[in-house]
């Protein structure tokens, strides 16, 4: 079953602690909200299932419409419904990043800038030092634990968030945690720079093709990010055409492979999972195809996602755009 208490914690980082070479090491963050409530964010840095090293991606200039849906900075805990149109995260369906860009890091090594704890420390220390910085932790909440002090930072009552990583595609004893639109992550807002930073984590044992309802793996082997070829990619979209609604929106795809690709059965999907079939027939190598929107498929001017699905309904490529990118009428957004 999905996570029981999924949501986002909007707070300020005030301290951190590395657990080094413990049995199940975490990177621990002490946070407080504007009401003075204390929380602990427990971030996994090592997997209990082989391979032990986590996959990570750190985006120093994160741009995605989800940042416009977040609760106010410092507002504390907000429960999130795991459905489209909310701030709930989904690494596969939300087009938050390119999974092929993820890399592995060991949990904790002697030396500087060579492990996952160092990477997290770089951003969390920045958040602690900047009084205007806002940290958003997505995952599953525990507590408040009345009458019990936090086991790491000692505040009372114990309260916090964990599962700050991908929460679908699990197998074995972690299969019960699977669900869609319930993935964990860390987002850091730096208002002085008008910039967002995002840190995404996943386990190498997790699958990247999952059922749209259960989040369980599809297929037998969990393909690593980047293993699935992207012969056709989304290159551009005209989201806000000149003129009154209904507008003539278009999406442009590219065959980046050295061979023709038969587009029979291929579809585009918008952020509400409305699909648009691609024209049947071969797309020659190195050529583009511009497809008009329609059939319920819609690209909103307030930000959105576009996903390319193969004939089996599996995600091949995905992109996102923000309201700021869609602001200029007639401007084609390139990805």
């Amino acid at each position: 079953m999905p996570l029981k208490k999924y949501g986002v914690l909007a707070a300020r980082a005030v301290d951190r602690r590395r657990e080094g070479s413990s049995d199940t090491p975490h990177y621990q963050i002490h946070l407080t909200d504007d009401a003075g409530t204390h929380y602990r964010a427990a971030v996994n840095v090592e997997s209990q299932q082989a391979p032990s090293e986590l996959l990570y991606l750190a985006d120093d200039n994160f741009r995605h419409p989800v940042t416009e849906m977040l609760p106010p900075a410092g507002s504390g805990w907000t429960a999130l419904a795991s459905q489209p149109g909310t701030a709930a995260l989904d690494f596969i369906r939300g087009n938050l990043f390119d999974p092929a860009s993820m890399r592995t890091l060991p949990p904790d090594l002697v030396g500087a800038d060579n492990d996952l704890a160092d990477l997290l420390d770089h951003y969390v220390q920045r958040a602690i030092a900047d009084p205007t910085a806002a940290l958003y932790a997505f995952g599953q909440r525990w507590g408040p634990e009345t009458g019990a002090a936090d086991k790491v930072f000692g505040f009372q009552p114990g309260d916090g968030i964990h599962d700050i990583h991908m929460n679908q595609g699990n197998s074995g004893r972690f299969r019960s945690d699977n669900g869609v639109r319930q993935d964990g992550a860390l987002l850091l807002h730096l208002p002085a720079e008008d910039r967002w930073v995002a840190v995404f984590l996943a386990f190498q044992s997790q699958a990247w093709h999952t059922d749209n309802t259960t989040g369980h793996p599809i297929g037998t082997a969990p393909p690593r990010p980047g293993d699935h070829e992207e012969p056709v990619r989304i290159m551009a979209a005209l989201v806000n055409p000149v003129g009154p609604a209904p507008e003539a929106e278009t999406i442009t795809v590219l065959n980046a492979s050295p061979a023709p690709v038969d587009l029979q059965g291929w579809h585009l999907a918008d952020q509400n999972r409305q699909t648009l079939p691609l024209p049947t027939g071969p797309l020659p190598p190195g050529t583009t195809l511009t497809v008009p929107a329609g059939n319920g498929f819609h690209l909103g001017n307030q930000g959105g996602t576009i996903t390319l699905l193969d004939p089996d309904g599996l995600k091949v490529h995905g992109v996102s755009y923000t309201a700021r990118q869609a602001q200029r009428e007639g401007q084609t957004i390139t990805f």
Side-chain angles (χ1 to χ4, degrees), residues 202-271:
F203 301 114
Q204 295 187 63
S205 57
Q206 291 174 310
W208 287 81
H209 293 146
T210 64
D211 184 87
N212 285 330
T213 301
T214 65
H216 292 326
I218 294 175
T220 56
R224 287 173 54 86
D227 284 352
H228 188 65
E229 292 184 1
E230 298 175 349
V232 183
R233 300 175 59 90
I234 302 167
M235 293 298 296
L238 179 57
V239 174
N240 187 10
V242 175
E247 302 161 310
E249 303 163 352
T250 62
I251 308 91
T252 300
V253 299
L254 165 72
N255 178 6
S257 75
V261 174
D262 186 355
L263 297 181
Q264 182 173 1
W266 288 64
H267 288 77
L268 292 166
D270 62 20
Q271 66 179 1

Side-chain angles (χ1 to χ4, degrees), residues 8 11 24 40 47 61 66 71 75 96-97 119 129 154 163 167 174-175 177 182 247 252 262 295 321 335:
V8 59
T24 56
R40 173 167 56 90
S47 174
N61 191 20
V66 72
S75 58
L96 298 159
F97 60 92
L119 175 97
D163 291 329
N167 290 305
F174 296 106
R175 182 180 173 88
D177 292 337
Q182 58 161 28
E247 302 161 310
T252 300
D262 186 355
N295 195 38
Y321 63 92
F335 306 107

Side-chain angles (χ1 to χ4, degrees), residues 82-84 90 92-94 168 179-181 208-218 269 273 275 307 309 312-315:
S82 297
Q83 59 189 31
D90 192 304
I92 297 173
R93 296 157 191 83
Q168 60 183 305
V180 298
R181 301 187 186 277
W208 287 81
H209 293 146
T210 64
D211 184 87
N212 285 330
T213 301
T214 65
H216 292 326
I218 294 175
R273 304 301 293 178
T275 59
T307 303
L309 306 172
D312 295 323
L314 300 179
K315 176 181 174 180

Side-chain angles (χ1 to χ4, degrees), residues 45-46 52-54 104-109 114-118:
V45 292
E46 186 173 11
S52 62
E53 295 182 352
L54 265 67
T104 59
L105 268 179
D108 192 81
L109 296 176
N114 62 358
D115 57 48
L116 187 52
D118 288 337

Side-chain angles (χ1 to χ4, degrees), residues 48-49 170-178:
Q48 296 181 40
Q49 285 186 277
N170 292 296
S171 57
R173 62 193 179 102
F174 296 106
R175 182 180 173 88
S176 61
D177 292 337
N178 287 337

